[in-house]
Amino acid sequence: MRLLIHNNYENASRWTADYIAGRINAFAPEQARPFVLGLPTGSSPLGVYRQLIAACKAGKVSFSHVTTFNMDEYLGLPPDHPQSYRRFMDDNFFSAIDIKTGNTHIPNGMTTNPEEECGAYEQAIKSAGGIELFMGGIGSNGHIAFNEPGSSLTSRTRAMTLTTETRIANSRFFDGDPQKVPSRALTVGIGTVMDAREVLIIVSGRQKARALQAAVEGGVSHWCPLSCLQTHPNAIIVCDDEAAEELKYGTVKYFKDIENLN
Ligand code: GLP
């Protein structure tokens, strides 16, 4: 597992966007052989989305042969709800790049049959050839997508009940009222993320520092879903100095040394 510690969020976002654009360009996707990209919502990826939009507008990368699968969606929110993840992705990324809407996938939060919807989502990922690169963020408790602590490390796409901690954290988008945050969501599983050929997680800010410390310096545990990356053959965590604050001095020095970041 690589850990890239950048001195601020802007630099972490720029590095990540350059990396993703480079991976897409090196893959040279075509209609019959699209690049399959997994994507998150949240504040953490916003800087990356801004940089990728700029790169697309500057002709440095194209998404015309990119297929995307998002990590999760609230259960019970229609796609045009201002806080649905479909709306978030359209507003913050898809509408500003040259991607075909039909190539963007997000679980349907309005399904009346979550089990069937989740099975179909897994099948769609498989039919697309699997995910080449899964970008993600984490919650302050170390969750990936909506896989809360205690989730099986081999879990697949399914409906999950959100913790109070997560509903409080996400209430900032729901008039500050945790009761307005849906209590359930559809989410890819940790096993689904781990199946991606590469996983890249962005971690920013002091509120994520304890989760990052547990994931990097602790053992693999379902209590910190992010720690699953320790067993992935091709995983990268990109963070900023604030998120690295709980890591040991020696750990920070080690990763900065091998990554040539100082
Ligand atoms: C939600 C999403 C996660 C995301 C997390 C952190 O819970 N389901 O996928 O990583 O929020 O969001 P933020 O980046 O805004 O801190």
Side-chain angles (χ1 to χ4, degrees):
M1 183 177 81
R2 294 175 67 188
L3 174 65
L4 286 113
I5 305 167
H6 289 269
N7 53 359
N8 60 38
Y9 175 70
E10 225 23 59
N11 288 341
S13 301
R14 190 170 310 113
W15 186 93
T16 306
D18 285 350
Y19 184 80
I20 293 173
R23 288 280 279 108
I24 293 172
N25 289 335
F27 191 91
E30 293 165 13
Q31 188 155 348
R33 190 178 154 271
F35 187 92
V36 184
L37 182 63
L39 294 174
T41 54
S43 326
S44 308
L46 281 176
V48 178
Y49 291 150
R50 277 194 293 271
Q51 299 278 347
L52 284 174
I53 289 168
C56 182
K57 289 196 192 309
K60 293 179 182 157
V61 66
S62 168
F63 293 86
S64 55
H65 298 312
V66 172
T67 294
T68 63
F69 286 90
N70 262 77
M71 294 192 132
D72 43 18
E73 178 60 285
Y74 288 116
L75 255 177
L77 293 194
D80 58 349
H81 187 284
Q83 300 311 335
S84 79
Y85 284 172
R86 162 53 74 181
R87 179 79 180 269
F88 175 98
M89 291 307 297
D90 287 347
D91 290 355
N92 291 293
F93 194 37
F94 297 151
S95 63
I97 56 171
D98 60 347
I99 199 160
K100 299 178 185 88
T101 308
N103 289 347
T104 66
H105 303 85
I106 299 183
N108 173 15
M110 292 305 284
T111 180
T112 52
N113 188 340
E115 209 173 310
E116 191 178 85
E117 170 68 18
C118 293
Y121 204 69
E122 286 278 338
Q123 193 47 52
I125 293 174
K126 210 175 273 173
S127 305
I131 293 175
E132 189 62 31
L133 171 61
F134 218 138
M135 169 164 74
I138 61 160
S140 52
N141 59 10
H143 74 222
I144 299 183
F146 272 129
N147 295 284
E148 298 285 23
S151 295
S152 158
L153 299 182
T154 58
S155 51
R156 311 304 307 184
T157 305
R158 68 213 183 290
M160 282 289 287
T161 300
L162 308 186
T163 60
T164 304
E165 185 179 354
T166 295
R167 291 177 79 196
I168 291 171
N170 292 1
S171 67
R172 65 192 194 278
F173 303 112
F174 291 83
D175 308 323
D177 181 358
Q179 291 305 319
K180 289 190 184 166
V181 180
S183 60
R184 299 181 77 215
L186 301 178
T187 178
V188 294
I190 298 178
T192 319
V193 175
M194 292 292 283
D195 278 354
R197 290 183 274 284
E198 184 170 15
V199 181
L200 189 162
I201 302 289
I202 318 160
V203 186
S204 168
R206 220 163 260 130
Q207 72 282 11
K208 308 284 174 70
R210 284 177 61 193
L212 185 65
Q213 189 276 333
V216 174
E217 295 178 342
V220 177
S221 162
H222 66 176
W223 218 234
C224 178
L226 179 64
S227 66
C228 69
L229 290 197
Q230 292 180 22
T231 66
H232 194 284
N234 209 1
I236 307 180
I237 298 177
V238 185
C239 75
D240 55 18
D241 274 343
E242 289 191 358
E245 265 182 20
E246 295 285 334
L247 294 173
K248 288 188 196 125
Y249 174 75
T251 306
V252 172
K253 214 167 152 231
Y254 171 80
F255 282 107
K256 286 199 171 183
D257 177 45
I258 58 174
E259 294 292 352
N260 263 329
L261 291 170
N262 43 35

